[in-house]
Amino acid sequence: MTTGRFFTNWDDTHSELWSHQTIRLAHSIHEQPAFSLDDLARLIEAYPSEHYSLVKTGPRGSSRIWREGEIGKLSGRQVIEAISRGGLWLNLREVSSIDRRYHDMIDQMFAEVAAKVPGFEVPTHQAGILISSPDAQVYYHVDLPGQGLIQIAGRKRVYIYPNTPPFIRPEDLEDCALFQAEVDIPYAAWYDKHAQVIDLEPGQMLNWPLNAPHRVENLSTVNISMSVSYMNDDIRRAQALHLANGMLRRRFGYAPKSRGLHGPAFVAKRVMQRLLRNSKWVKRERAVRCPIDFCLDESDLGGIVDPPKLASQAA
């Protein structure tokens, strides 16, 4: 049960800028008991394996590395300690569906937004908890739903780029909808000159415009964050459009010209993507999740070893 208001510095400018510009808001969500280390450790220990991602990425400045692993038999506290030693991040996906406490927090948060932003209604939403190493990073990517990032502990630097070409093209959004591969969009180092760069502290939240590409670097501290994705009718329409246009481009070789969210052309596209989105062709084109190729080392926290299956095959 949560009490009181979460947003502590909301003013009229935030109401005007919400979803149109990147805004940083002060919040008290990080003070909730559900974010204590003991509660997070228990959550990790009971978390369904199909709903978490343990990822190892390369150090900043290196070529892109993306490996997925599993926590093995470590306790929740040991997992957090292993992450603290570098190179890893743990994403507890769909936590708001698995633990009601986090769902209720986000419900309350959006109720506060709806009370401040004319025309905004509490959307359907999903949240994940990210626990990441002091040197961890999240590569340049885009999300199709609306997004918010709530900082609980630690400091991170967030780069947010314009949601226009060349930073994100219609074809990139189509591929994201079709292939479900948000991190494969093109990135060039010079993009950073045009990014809005924000250092995020505990008790702060970011909300940015729909489909704005972004990337994240931790600032030498263990980070705990909550990522929030949300959907309303306009966002659902946009996703249906991206998927339909991606089908037209990739399956039928037709370069779509219309990107309107209303009218006969949109209705036809919406019907088409509903008919084809579960087809064998789409399922075949969807990105396959990376195989599990490491496990946290039980004898050396912070180290990684081959998972049991790979180790037995090597023997």
Side-chain angles (χ1 to χ4, degrees):
M1 178 67 69
T2 57
T3 58
R5 293 183 178 179
F6 283 149
F7 291 119
T8 58
N9 73 336
W10 193 290
D11 60 34
D12 290 343
T13 64
H14 297 131
S15 299
E16 293 289 337
L17 294 174
W18 176 270
S19 80
H20 301 297
Q21 296 289 331
T22 300
I23 56 175
R24 177 166 44 185
L25 296 158
H27 68 79
S28 62
I29 297 174
H30 64 308
E31 298 172 354
Q32 293 294 308
F35 288 111
S36 71
L37 287 182
D38 285 340
D39 277 47
L40 289 174
R42 285 190 290 269
L43 181 68
I44 291 169
E45 291 168 0
Y47 218 74
S49 59
E50 67 271 21
H51 289 300
Y52 78 74
S53 297
L54 179 66
V55 177
K56 185 170 184 62
T57 58
R60 288 192 289 273
S62 67
S63 58
R64 179 175 294 198
I65 298 172
W66 185 283
R67 300 176 62 189
E68 293 200 19
E70 57 186 19
I71 63 176
K73 298 179 180 179
L74 296 184
S75 69
R77 280 282 193 169
Q78 288 175 314
V79 171
I80 295 171
E81 175 63 24
I83 291 171
S84 75
R85 300 191 183 189
L88 298 164
W89 54 265
L90 175 67
N91 183 6
L92 303 177
R93 305 189 312 273
E94 302 178 23
V95 70
S96 52
S97 295
I98 291 169
D99 191 314
R100 185 74 192 187
R101 294 174 299 172
Y102 304 101
H103 180 278
D104 291 346
M105 287 181 210
I106 304 305
D107 247 8
Q108 177 178 327
M109 183 194 80
F110 277 125
E112 292 182 31
V113 175
K116 297 290 188 179
V117 179
F120 184 87
E121 298 180 356
V122 176
T124 57
H125 54 76
Q126 192 56 264
I129 292 176
L130 303 169
I131 304 173
S132 51
S133 300
D135 58 347
Q137 62 179 317
V138 178
Y139 296 122
Y140 186 83
H141 70 287
V142 69
D143 298 286
L144 295 181
Q147 289 290 304
L149 183 62
I150 301 169
Q151 191 67 358
I152 304 299
R155 300 173 58 246
K156 61 175 72 239
R157 181 162 294 159
V158 185
Y159 295 75
I160 304 171
Y161 303 80
N163 60 352
T164 56
F167 308 100
I168 187 73
R169 304 168 301 158
E171 297 92 327
D172 300 324
L173 295 171
E174 294 165 12
D175 287 349
C176 287
L178 183 57
F179 304 129
Q180 296 183 342
E182 293 87 353
V183 296
D184 289 338
I185 59 175
Y187 165 75
W190 65 265
Y191 287 6
D192 290 359
K193 296 179 181 179
H194 303 273
Q196 188 172 359
V197 184
I198 299 173
D199 288 355
L200 203 59
E201 308 275 351
Q204 296 179 340
M205 171 188 172
L206 287 181
N207 176 258
W208 51 80
L210 185 66
N211 302 149
H214 48 283
R215 66 181 187 89
V216 181
E217 297 175 347
N218 284 359
L219 297 176
S220 302
T221 61
V222 176
N223 271 243
I224 301 172
S225 312
M226 177 178 272
S227 62
V228 180
S229 61
Y230 58 93
M231 301 280 284
N232 57 27
D233 186 60
D234 285 344
I235 296 173
R236 288 189 188 90
R237 284 174 172 269
Q239 283 198 251
L241 176 75
H242 299 321
L243 181 54
N245 281 352
M247 291 172 175
L248 289 171
R249 187 185 303 275
R250 296 289 187 171
R251 183 69 176 89
F252 302 107
Y254 173 78
K257 298 180 178 61
S258 170
R259 296 187 178 90
L261 299 180
H262 302 276
F266 172 76
V267 171
K269 290 178 181 180
R270 196 170 206 177
V271 171
M272 182 193 73
Q273 61 89 27
R274 283 176 177 170
L275 292 173
L276 295 180
R277 64 189 177 193
N278 292 318
S279 66
K280 291 182 179 180
W281 173 76
V282 171
K283 291 179 179 178
R284 188 172 63 249
E285 292 294 319
R286 289 274 160 92
V288 178
R289 182 178 171 181
C290 293
I292 300 300
D293 75 347
F294 74 87
C295 186
L296 295 183
D297 192 340
E298 296 177 25
S299 60
D300 179 19
L301 292 183
I304 62 174
V305 294
D306 287 342
K309 289 183 180 179
L310 289 181
S312 62
Q313 290 171 3

